[in-house]
Amino acid sequence: QFTHFPSAEAFDAFVACLDAGDLLSSIRTKPKRVAAADGSGSGDESDESDGSSEPALLPTRRKLSPADAVFMVLMRLKTGLDLIDLHALFGVGYSTACSYFVMYVSFLREWLEVEFPPPTKAQILAAMPASFKAAFPDRNVQLIIDAHEQQCEEPSNLVCRRSVWSDYKHRTTNKFLGACTPAGACVFVSD
């Protein structure tokens, strides 16, 4: 009920599909850097043999399993809960939950875009609801495009502030553009 999946088995099947070829396991968490006791980064902990002053990269232990991370992302997307509330439910710190959310939502976007490409014109017309056909009989509607502006904080950088200023809203806003098919499938969201 927290992820739009009808059952735990359906969610597990989705995660298994995502993890085909250990794809989920290959998502790397942010590596830890090990510095020397004197702060130079070239102490005994460093396993680099070239003598550089860069600290060594150590593999990090996962705080959440890939399935739990996907569950957290889907739960946040469905319920609208903030990570400040979710991080305690999953037993991780707030910054860790933020990192996991960014990594896994980016992964899901890339994976879903590859697995489910935008529909063709023929698919859009075949899936068009009868009520839409009746309302617009002489029109060949493929996409419904809309934009939205959401108020945001004023950046201190003047160039950034100028780029987010809205003459329409008379304040600083983030601009979003989206498109959906007549059947209601979202096929485009601006960056």
Side-chain angles (χ1 to χ4, degrees), residues 15-169:
V15 170
C17 188
L18 286 176
D19 203 23
D22 288 332
L23 212 54
L24 279 180
S25 304
S26 68
I27 297 175
R28 301 194 52 102
T29 57
K30 195 173 184 181
K32 288 184 180 178
R33 296 196 176 269
V34 177
D38 64 355
S40 67
S42 59
D44 295 334
E45 296 92 351
S46 178
D47 59 357
E48 296 184 83
S49 59
D50 62 359
S52 70
S53 62
E54 287 292 315
L57 296 178
L58 295 179
T60 57
R61 196 170 50 83
R62 289 188 178 272
K63 307 281 191 245
L64 290 176
S65 70
D68 287 342
V70 170
F71 183 75
M72 181 183 72
V73 168
L74 295 177
M75 185 176 175
R76 179 171 188 216
L77 293 176
K78 177 170 189 294
T79 63
L81 287 172
D82 194 42
L83 286 173
I84 201 82
D85 301 318
L86 282 177
H87 79 92
L89 292 173
F90 287 87
V92 295
Y94 175 72
S95 61
T96 303
C98 290
S99 297
Y100 271 88
F101 182 78
V102 168
M103 288 186 304
Y104 280 86
V105 82
S106 298
F107 167 78
L108 286 171
R109 177 183 177 177
E110 294 291 325
W111 188 85
L112 291 168
E113 283 179 352
V114 169
E115 292 297 317
F116 301 98
T120 63
K121 180 179 178 182
Q123 290 171 327
I124 291 172
L125 293 175
M128 188 176 299
S131 61
F132 203 90
K133 288 179 186 177
F136 304 101
D138 298 334
R139 303 231 167 80
N140 185 9
V141 178
Q142 293 181 34
L143 295 175
I144 301 164
I145 302 169
D146 196 10
H148 172 70
E149 293 187 54
Q150 181 67 43
Q151 186 173 356
C152 65
E153 293 182 11
E154 288 189 19
S156 57
N157 182 313
L158 293 178
V159 174
C160 292
R161 186 182 300 183
R162 184 175 50 215
S163 69
V164 297
W165 176 256
S166 170
D167 287 329
Y168 177 68
K169 297 282 187 177

Side-chain angles (χ1 to χ4, degrees), residues 165-187:
W165 176 256
S166 170
D167 287 329
Y168 177 68
K169 297 282 187 177
H170 303 291
R171 57 182 173 256
T172 54
T173 61
N174 288 317
K175 286 90 173 152
F176 302 96
L177 179 69
C180 67
T181 66
C186 185
V187 294

